[in-house]
Amino acid sequence: MAKTEFNINDVLENYKRRDEERREFIIHKGRTAMKEIIKEVNQRGSLNEADIYYGTPKPQLSFSDIELGYMLTSMMEYATNHVGNPVDEECELENKLAYFEYKDEIIQIFEVYGQGTDSWFLKPSDDTVYKLSNTAYGVYLNQFDDFINYTINKENESKKVSYGTTILNDIAGGYTVGRGSK
């Protein structure tokens, strides 16, 4: 049997590189990407990574499926951590929703869990837009510019703190455990 070496430094460097790529894309190209996402969703009704490969017609995007994935994942994480997520009661699978507003356009993210996780952007129904704009359901509406600013702040934070500490905080859920702590 062959011996496989596991180098934690390689894993940490790979994590750091992907996290930096994700933040750089969101910070520098996020607004442009959101404009393109909204345009495609308004034309198609929805947009996910598979549409880039298999969509008919193909989406006209200036970014890759990986970068679309960065947007989906990061925006859903932001919504989950800042306002929580409603669910679609009519969906048979476990799911959660997120809503973002950008330049008077509202976009919805739908995430479904089954044998895996799939998520996509879609245009919310008129009823949902009404509820987000005129009822307490509006608590779930995130401002896209707030998401960008949050990402910028996280980037600045990560430059101040050593990356190993940041990863440990991510793993420990933000708790710092020191020697002799209770």
Side-chain angles (χ1 to χ4, degrees), residues 117-181:
T117 301
D118 196 12
S119 57
W120 57 92
F121 290 103
L122 70 136
K123 187 175 177 116
S125 69
D126 291 340
D127 182 51
T128 300
V129 171
Y130 176 82
K131 287 185 343 188
L132 288 166
S133 302
N134 299 304
T135 70
Y137 195 73
V139 71
Y140 294 114
L141 185 60
N142 296 281
Q143 297 300 314
F144 185 74
D145 284 331
D146 291 345
F147 163 69
I148 295 289
N149 291 333
Y150 171 81
T151 305
I152 291 168
N153 290 338
K154 290 295 276 184
E155 176 71 8
N156 292 337
E157 226 176 79
S158 75
K159 289 178 181 174
K160 292 179 189 174
V161 179
S162 77
Y163 206 79
T165 304
T166 303
I167 290 172
L168 289 175
N169 280 338
D170 288 348
I171 293 168
Y175 296 102
T176 303
V177 178
R179 193 167 189 198
S181 65

Side-chain angles (χ1 to χ4, degrees), residues 31-79:
R31 287 181 177 90
T32 300
M34 192 60 165
K35 288 177 195 172
E36 293 177 25
I37 290 166
I38 289 169
K39 180 183 174 200
E40 287 295 326
V41 167
N42 284 337
Q43 290 175 355
R44 307 168 78 82
S46 69
L47 180 67
N48 71 4
E49 292 133 300
D51 291 325
I52 293 174
Y53 289 111
Y54 309 113
T56 307
K58 295 230 180 272
Q60 299 300 305
L61 303 171
S62 64
F63 52 91
S64 71
D65 62 319
I66 293 169
E67 292 164 329
L68 182 65
Y70 291 162
M71 294 289 284
L72 282 163
T73 302
S74 299
M75 290 170 71
M76 183 58 83
E77 285 175 2
Y78 175 84

